[in-house]
Amino acid sequence: MFDVRRLRALREVADRGTIAAAADALHLTPSAVSQQLAALSADVGRPVVERDGRGVRLAPVAHVLLRHADVLLAQVERLHLDVDAHRRGELGELRVAGFATALRGLVAPAAARLRETAPGVGLRIHEAEADEAQRAVAAGDVDVMVSFESAGAPRPGDPRWHRVELHRDVLDAALPSDHPLADGGPVELRALALDPWVLPPVGWACDEVVLAGCRAAGFTPVEAHRSGDWVTTLALVGAGLGVSLVPRLAQVPPPPGVAVRPLSGVPPCRHLFAACRRGSEEGPALRAFLEALSEASEVEARRGQALSGAR
């Protein structure tokens, strides 16, 4: 018989590379994680990890265990949900993490919809960038995250995650109203190569999207200012301090002095999705939330298309 706690400890060590990091994720001491690994080694009759300098590396048998552990851990998630639902007789509370504009444009409308379709579902909402949200969901501190494709987000096809694909959040050019391209039609991104730019903070997932779009157009934007708040970004653009790319999900009525124009060709976009631990999506509360979130995404996608058509 294999103890699920020992398999979970091995999975965290494999993901995080050190016993200390795994202990932090599991809210245990490094000594407790080492004991779990030692007990698992005794279960299989050989070591599951080997010393590698100050850290550890997986022994061959560990890879065999991990191929099965993900399936077993997902089944344990289903077991907990079934037992909890039977005990409480209610749907319960969900903990949701996501970036700010997704919380405003998708999670808030989904919450309003849930009050009609599943009034027994409560939400506890936490703002977080992709890497923080992923760690929280993996550790069990959060039930579901709303994010977009980036280096810090769960990858498609990862057996540990259940993903629900949402819409493509297109980015538009935000220009000072006296910019030469402000009064025309769609803007070629490369035509902004020499302008000063207002960019998201370094390391933010949206900064990845903007920089990748500019590189695809053949240039690196000239950094003039950085802001993590889209309202502030538009205000800086309106003050004539630079140009920017703004996702449609983040767009509010622009302040005076700002012209928002669609980009020609294939514009950069944020590929939005929701993700949870595989197996947990079968719980009634999470299933109801994901359905409401998908509906909100469809509405937002239509709003984005209408914005483009009106410009």
Side-chain angles (χ1 to χ4, degrees):
M1 299 292 291
F2 289 99
D3 190 314
V4 171
R5 294 171 299 175
R6 298 168 187 171
L7 292 174
R8 195 181 298 279
L10 180 63
R11 164 47 69 194
E12 290 296 335
V13 170
D15 285 349
R16 301 178 189 281
T18 69
I19 289 176
D24 186 62
L26 293 168
H27 306 298
L28 297 173
T29 65
S31 176
V33 173
S34 295
Q35 291 173 15
Q36 296 279 18
L37 297 178
L40 185 58
S41 297
D43 289 340
V44 299
R46 62 190 64 186
V48 296
V49 296
E50 302 168 346
R51 286 291 173 189
D52 184 16
R54 293 187 177 181
V56 295
R57 63 170 177 263
L58 298 183
V61 70
H63 297 285
V64 177
L65 289 167
L66 288 173
R67 283 200 297 270
H68 297 278
D70 293 329
V71 176
L72 292 172
L73 293 173
Q75 189 59 43
V76 168
E77 291 283 353
R78 298 184 182 100
L79 173 62
H80 283 304
L81 286 166
D82 288 345
V83 171
D84 198 43
H86 177 75
R87 178 179 60 83
R88 294 198 321 260
E90 59 185 20
L91 294 178
E93 182 180 78
L94 290 176
R95 298 158 298 175
V96 183
F99 60 100
T101 51
L103 298 184
R104 186 189 71 209
L106 297 180
V107 175
R113 177 63 174 158
L114 275 180
R115 296 182 68 178
E116 300 176 1
T117 61
V121 177
L123 298 181
R124 188 179 296 274
I125 297 167
H126 172 64
E127 182 180 336
E129 285 288 297
D131 52 351
E132 179 189 351
Q134 179 175 3
R135 289 193 300 269
V137 177
D141 297 327
V142 168
D143 297 303
V144 59
M145 63 182 288
V146 182
S147 187
F148 56 90
E149 292 294 355
S150 67
R155 309 309 300 169
D158 189 323
R160 294 166 293 175
W161 295 89
H162 173 78
R163 286 182 33 140
V164 174
E165 305 303 325
L166 303 174
H167 71 283
R168 295 168 64 254
D169 187 22
V170 174
L171 276 64
D172 293 321
L175 311 173
S177 57
D178 60 356
H179 192 282
L181 300 177
D183 293 329
V187 174
E188 280 196 54
L189 184 52
R190 64 183 177 181
L192 305 177
L194 300 181
D195 285 278
W197 278 70
V198 184
L199 296 169
V202 174
W204 278 33
C206 204
D207 190 42
E208 292 180 31
V209 176
V210 173
L211 294 180
C214 291
R215 284 195 296 268
F219 71 97
T220 299
V222 179
E223 175 188 335
H225 315 280
R226 289 191 179 268
S227 172
D229 177 76
W230 294 110
V231 174
T232 300
T233 294
L234 289 172
L236 296 178
V237 171
L241 297 179
V243 302
S244 191
L245 295 183
V246 180
R248 290 180 183 168
L249 188 60
Q251 291 179 26
V252 295
V258 177
V260 178
R261 292 288 177 265
L263 295 170
S264 60
V266 180
C269 67
R270 305 191 297 187
H271 296 271
L272 306 180
F273 66 90
C276 59
R277 297 180 300 278
R278 185 168 294 279
S280 65
E281 77 278 5
E282 296 183 13
L286 190 48
R287 185 167 59 246
F289 172 74
L290 292 174
E291 290 174 357
L293 189 67
S294 294
E295 291 180 11
S297 177
E298 292 174 2
V299 170
E300 180 59 32
R302 290 194 294 270
R303 186 188 75 88
Q305 291 171 355
L307 279 177
S308 178
R311 290 169 182 154

